[in-house]
Amino acid sequence: MSKTRLESILPLSPLQEGLLFHALYDEQSPDVYVVQLALQFEGDLDTERLRSAADAVLKRHANLRASFRQRRQQEGQPVQLIAADVKAPWRLVDLRDHEEEERTAVLERVVAEDKARRFDMARPPLLRFTLFRQADERFVLLLTAHHILLDGWSMPILMRELFEMYGSGGDDARLPRVAPYREYLTWLAARDRETGKAAWAGALSGLEEPCRLAPTGAVEGAARPEKITRLVPAELTEALQERARSRGLTMNTLVQGAWGLLLGALTGRDDVVFGTTVSGRPPELPGIESMVGLFI
């Protein structure tokens, strides 16, 4: 990337540093941090207008134009390079000539192939759009992105802005002012990291090893996350909700407590540690609720 096309150079958040490490550590295995969002909709759609709206969203959010590299002159410190002008990669897949069953099979295959295709972390943007046309007025829009760019909270913000841009022909006058992701990075830089490390060291004092449920090296290479869904009977749900209310707890706290007890039973320990993601959006930062980026 030439310097004339470079808008700025920014540091990475700690989680971005971690995801970049995983992306570069083993470039032959699947990247489990490639995420997807698919939207189904019907109506009279101007596909080129939607494509232009995708470009407008990238123009609006500078951090979506980021690439990630090691900065050699600073002992390999990673940086994100914000390109001044990047178009959204766009692909149109017309399925109207296929029978319904074949149409579904092709769509599922293309979605899976797109998820398996790794991003080059040094080439922006680390996202791409695929629009499937299933019928004259029936579509599926697929966004495939690297998690290093944005989190789950950001996805609906991005989609809402995309269709707002589509409706306005690329004019963002009706959208709120962009709260740049770099403001969050500035806020992070002002934090006292040593105090944070000391707080966590105290909280984890006495913990000698992780709580592993499987032997080390049980799985070779990266393993893609899977989702398992189980329906809980209505009677049990009501009982759990009543138990949580009677103890002044949220349902999430109840579930996390149950998970902790299960870990203890499986590992034979009464002191266990596990983690869960939180939004990571500091409420004292203006506009944080509408920022697009990685905060978890």
Side-chain angles (χ1 to χ4, degrees), residues 209-227:
E209 60 183 351
C211 297
R212 293 194 175 97
L213 295 183
T216 302
V219 178
E220 295 184 3
R224 291 198 178 278
E226 296 182 19
K227 180 182 292 187

PDB file of all heavy atoms in Angstrom, residues 209-227:
ATOM      1  N   GLU A 209      -3.235 -23.645  37.569  1.00  0.00           N
ATOM      2  CA  GLU A 209      -3.311 -24.100  36.188  1.00  0.00           C
ATOM      3  C   GLU A 209      -4.720 -23.878  35.652  1.00  0.00           C
ATOM      4  O   GLU A 209      -5.652 -23.665  36.427  1.00  0.00           O
ATOM      5  CB  GLU A 209      -2.954 -25.589  36.098  1.00  0.00           C
ATOM      6  CG  GLU A 209      -3.882 -26.476  36.918  1.00  0.00           C
ATOM      7  CD  GLU A 209      -3.467 -27.928  36.860  1.00  0.00           C
ATOM      8  OE1 GLU A 209      -2.571 -28.261  36.064  1.00  0.00           O
ATOM      9  OE2 GLU A 209      -4.050 -28.736  37.597  1.00  0.00           O
ATOM     10  N   PRO A 210      -4.880 -23.915  34.335  1.00  0.00           N
ATOM     11  CA  PRO A 210      -6.218 -23.753  33.747  1.00  0.00           C
ATOM     12  C   PRO A 210      -7.123 -24.926  34.102  1.00  0.00           C
ATOM     13  O   PRO A 210      -6.649 -25.987  34.521  1.00  0.00           O
ATOM     14  CB  PRO A 210      -5.944 -23.716  32.238  1.00  0.00           C
ATOM     15  CG  PRO A 210      -4.486 -23.456  32.096  1.00  0.00           C
ATOM     16  CD  PRO A 210      -3.831 -24.033  33.301  1.00  0.00           C
ATOM     17  N   CYS A 211      -8.420 -24.727  33.938  1.00  0.00           N
ATOM     18  CA  CYS A 211      -9.403 -25.794  34.157  1.00  0.00           C
ATOM     19  C   CYS A 211      -9.684 -26.461  32.817  1.00  0.00           C
ATOM     20  O   CYS A 211     -10.571 -26.043  32.071  1.00  0.00           O
ATOM     21  CB  CYS A 211     -10.696 -25.230  34.759  1.00  0.00           C
ATOM     22  SG  CYS A 211     -10.460 -24.487  36.383  1.00  0.00           S
ATOM     23  N   ARG A 212      -8.903 -27.473  32.506  1.00  0.00           N
ATOM     24  CA  ARG A 212      -9.033 -28.133  31.206  1.00  0.00           C
ATOM     25  C   ARG A 212      -9.999 -29.306  31.297  1.00  0.00           C
ATOM     26  O   ARG A 212      -9.905 -30.130  32.187  1.00  0.00           O
ATOM     27  CB  ARG A 212      -7.675 -28.628  30.712  1.00  0.00           C
ATOM     28  CG  ARG A 212      -6.695 -27.506  30.370  1.00  0.00           C
ATOM     29  CD  ARG A 212      -5.524 -28.081  29.571  1.00  0.00           C
ATOM     30  NE  ARG A 212      -4.626 -27.018  29.126  1.00  0.00           N
ATOM     31  CZ  ARG A 212      -3.508 -26.685  29.771  1.00  0.00           C
ATOM     32  NH1 ARG A 212      -3.172 -27.323  30.866  1.00  0.00           N
ATOM     33  NH2 ARG A 212      -2.736 -25.732  29.302  1.00  0.00           N
ATOM     34  N   LEU A 213     -10.902 -29.375  30.321  1.00  0.00           N
ATOM     35  CA  LEU A 213     -11.837 -30.492  30.251  1.00  0.00           C
ATOM     36  C   LEU A 213     -11.388 -31.544  29.255  1.00  0.00           C
ATOM     37  O   LEU A 213     -11.980 -32.604  29.146  1.00  0.00           O
ATOM     38  CB  LEU A 213     -13.227 -29.986  29.860  1.00  0.00           C
ATOM     39  CG  LEU A 213     -13.912 -29.066  30.869  1.00  0.00           C
ATOM     40  CD1 LEU A 213     -15.302 -28.696  30.384  1.00  0.00           C
ATOM     41  CD2 LEU A 213     -14.001 -29.721  32.234  1.00  0.00           C
ATOM     42  N   ALA A 214     -10.330 -31.234  28.484  1.00  0.00           N
ATOM     43  CA  ALA A 214      -9.803 -32.185  27.506  1.00  0.00           C
ATOM     44  C   ALA A 214      -8.288 -32.177  27.617  1.00  0.00           C
ATOM     45  O   ALA A 214      -7.697 -31.171  28.001  1.00  0.00           O
ATOM     46  CB  ALA A 214     -10.232 -31.798  26.086  1.00  0.00           C
ATOM     47  N   PRO A 215      -7.636 -33.276  27.288  1.00  0.00           N
ATOM     48  CA  PRO A 215      -6.170 -33.331  27.367  1.00  0.00           C
ATOM     49  C   PRO A 215      -5.539 -32.311  26.426  1.00  0.00           C
ATOM     50  O   PRO A 215      -6.087 -31.993  25.369  1.00  0.00           O
ATOM     51  CB  PRO A 215      -5.840 -34.766  26.926  1.00  0.00           C
ATOM     52  CG  PRO A 215      -7.110 -35.531  27.100  1.00  0.00           C
ATOM     53  CD  PRO A 215      -8.213 -34.563  26.866  1.00  0.00           C
ATOM     54  N   THR A 216      -4.386 -31.795  26.807  1.00  0.00           N
ATOM     55  CA  THR A 216      -3.655 -30.870  25.946  1.00  0.00           C
ATOM     56  C   THR A 216      -3.318 -31.553  24.629  1.00  0.00           C
ATOM     57  O   THR A 216      -2.836 -32.684  24.611  1.00  0.00           O
ATOM     58  CB  THR A 216      -2.357 -30.415  26.634  1.00  0.00           C
ATOM     59  OG1 THR A 216      -2.686 -29.798  27.877  1.00  0.00           O
ATOM     60  CG2 THR A 216      -1.604 -29.426  25.755  1.00  0.00           C
ATOM     61  N   GLY A 217      -3.575 -30.855  23.524  1.00  0.00           N
ATOM     62  CA  GLY A 217      -3.264 -31.424  22.216  1.00  0.00           C
ATOM     63  C   GLY A 217      -4.256 -32.454  21.744  1.00  0.00           C
ATOM     64  O   GLY A 217      -3.977 -33.211  20.814  1.00  0.00           O
ATOM     65  N   ALA A 218      -5.433 -32.498  22.370  1.00  0.00           N
ATOM     66  CA  ALA A 218      -6.429 -33.494  21.964  1.00  0.00           C
ATOM     67  C   ALA A 218      -6.940 -33.231  20.554  1.00  0.00           C
ATOM     68  O   ALA A 218      -7.360 -34.135  19.849  1.00  0.00           O
ATOM     69  CB  ALA A 218      -7.588 -33.502  22.954  1.00  0.00           C
ATOM     70  N   VAL A 219      -6.916 -31.950  20.141  1.00  0.00           N
ATOM     71  CA  VAL A 219      -7.368 -31.576  18.804  1.00  0.00           C
ATOM     72  C   VAL A 219      -6.201 -30.946  18.062  1.00  0.00           C
ATOM     73  O   VAL A 219      -5.574 -30.023  18.562  1.00  0.00           O
ATOM     74  CB  VAL A 219      -8.553 -30.578  18.869  1.00  0.00           C
ATOM     75  CG1 VAL A 219      -8.962 -30.173  17.462  1.00  0.00           C
ATOM     76  CG2 VAL A 219      -9.726 -31.201  19.620  1.00  0.00           C
ATOM     77  N   GLU A 220      -5.899 -31.468  16.890  1.00  0.00           N
ATOM     78  CA  GLU A 220      -4.822 -30.904  16.083  1.00  0.00           C
ATOM     79  C   GLU A 220      -5.371 -29.822  15.174  1.00  0.00           C
ATOM     80  O   GLU A 220      -6.351 -30.030  14.471  1.00  0.00           O
ATOM     81  CB  GLU A 220      -4.153 -31.996  15.255  1.00  0.00           C
ATOM     82  CG  GLU A 220      -3.432 -33.049  16.102  1.00  0.00           C
ATOM     83  CD  GLU A 220      -2.699 -34.050  15.234  1.00  0.00           C
ATOM     84  OE1 GLU A 220      -2.727 -33.875  13.990  1.00  0.00           O
ATOM     85  OE2 GLU A 220      -2.086 -34.990  15.789  1.00  0.00           O
ATOM     86  N   GLY A 221      -4.704 -28.671  15.172  1.00  0.00           N
ATOM     87  CA  GLY A 221      -5.148 -27.573  14.331  1.00  0.00           C
ATOM     88  C   GLY A 221      -6.353 -26.866  14.917  1.00  0.00           C
ATOM     89  O   GLY A 221      -6.820 -27.172  16.017  1.00  0.00           O
ATOM     90  N   ALA A 222      -6.862 -25.903  14.160  1.00  0.00           N
ATOM     91  CA  ALA A 222      -7.996 -25.114  14.623  1.00  0.00           C
ATOM     92  C   ALA A 222      -9.299 -25.898  14.480  1.00  0.00           C
ATOM     93  O   ALA A 222      -9.499 -26.614  13.505  1.00  0.00           O
ATOM     94  CB  ALA A 222      -8.086 -23.817  13.817  1.00  0.00           C
ATOM     95  N   ALA A 223     -10.153 -25.768  15.467  1.00  0.00           N
ATOM     96  CA  ALA A 223     -11.464 -26.417  15.427  1.00  0.00           C
ATOM     97  C   ALA A 223     -12.534 -25.347  15.380  1.00  0.00           C
ATOM     98  O   ALA A 223     -12.547 -24.435  16.209  1.00  0.00           O
ATOM     99  CB  ALA A 223     -11.659 -27.302  16.656  1.00  0.00           C
ATOM    100  N   ARG A 224     -13.397 -25.410  14.398  1.00  0.00           N
ATOM    101  CA  ARG A 224     -14.444 -24.399  14.272  1.00  0.00           C
ATOM    102  C   ARG A 224     -15.468 -24.549  15.397  1.00  0.00           C
ATOM    103  O   ARG A 224     -15.857 -25.671  15.756  1.00  0.00           O
ATOM    104  CB  ARG A 224     -15.149 -24.520  12.925  1.00  0.00           C
ATOM    105  CG  ARG A 224     -14.275 -24.130  11.737  1.00  0.00           C
ATOM    106  CD  ARG A 224     -15.112 -23.841  10.510  1.00  0.00           C
ATOM    107  NE  ARG A 224     -14.276 -23.429   9.401  1.00  0.00           N
ATOM    108  CZ  ARG A 224     -13.828 -22.185   9.236  1.00  0.00           C
ATOM    109  NH1 ARG A 224     -14.115 -21.272  10.135  1.00  0.00           N
ATOM    110  NH2 ARG A 224     -13.095 -21.871   8.188  1.00  0.00           N
ATOM    111  N   PRO A 225     -15.931 -23.438  15.947  1.00  0.00           N
ATOM    112  CA  PRO A 225     -16.970 -23.513  16.988  1.00  0.00           C
ATOM    113  C   PRO A 225     -18.253 -24.118  16.426  1.00  0.00           C
ATOM    114  O   PRO A 225     -18.565 -23.960  15.244  1.00  0.00           O
ATOM    115  CB  PRO A 225     -17.186 -22.036  17.369  1.00  0.00           C
ATOM    116  CG  PRO A 225     -15.976 -21.322  16.880  1.00  0.00           C
ATOM    117  CD  PRO A 225     -15.509 -22.067  15.672  1.00  0.00           C
ATOM    118  N   GLU A 226     -18.957 -24.829  17.256  1.00  0.00           N
ATOM    119  CA  GLU A 226     -20.242 -25.395  16.872  1.00  0.00           C
ATOM    120  C   GLU A 226     -21.307 -24.939  17.861  1.00  0.00           C
ATOM    121  O   GLU A 226     -21.005 -24.595  19.004  1.00  0.00           O
ATOM    122  CB  GLU A 226     -20.180 -26.926  16.854  1.00  0.00           C
ATOM    123  CG  GLU A 226     -19.221 -27.486  15.812  1.00  0.00           C
ATOM    124  CD  GLU A 226     -19.232 -28.997  15.785  1.00  0.00           C
ATOM    125  OE1 GLU A 226     -20.210 -29.585  16.301  1.00  0.00           O
ATOM    126  OE2 GLU A 226     -18.269 -29.607  15.276  1.00  0.00           O
ATOM    127  N   LYS A 227     -22.527 -24.894  17.413  1.00  0.00           N
ATOM    128  CA  LYS A 227     -23.641 -24.496  18.264  1.00  0.00           C
ATOM    129  C   LYS A 227     -24.551 -25.696  18.486  1.00  0.00           C
ATOM    130  O   LYS A 227     -24.938 -26.382  17.538  1.00  0.00           O
ATOM    131  CB  LYS A 227     -24.434 -23.353  17.619  1.00  0.00           C
ATOM    132  CG  LYS A 227     -25.625 -22.883  18.456  1.00  0.00           C
ATOM    133  CD  LYS A 227     -26.407 -21.787  17.741  1.00  0.00           C
ATOM    134  CE  LYS A 227     -25.608 -20.511  17.628  1.00  0.00           C
ATOM    135  NZ  LYS A 227     -26.424 -19.396  17.074  1.00  0.00           N
TER     136      LYS A 227
END
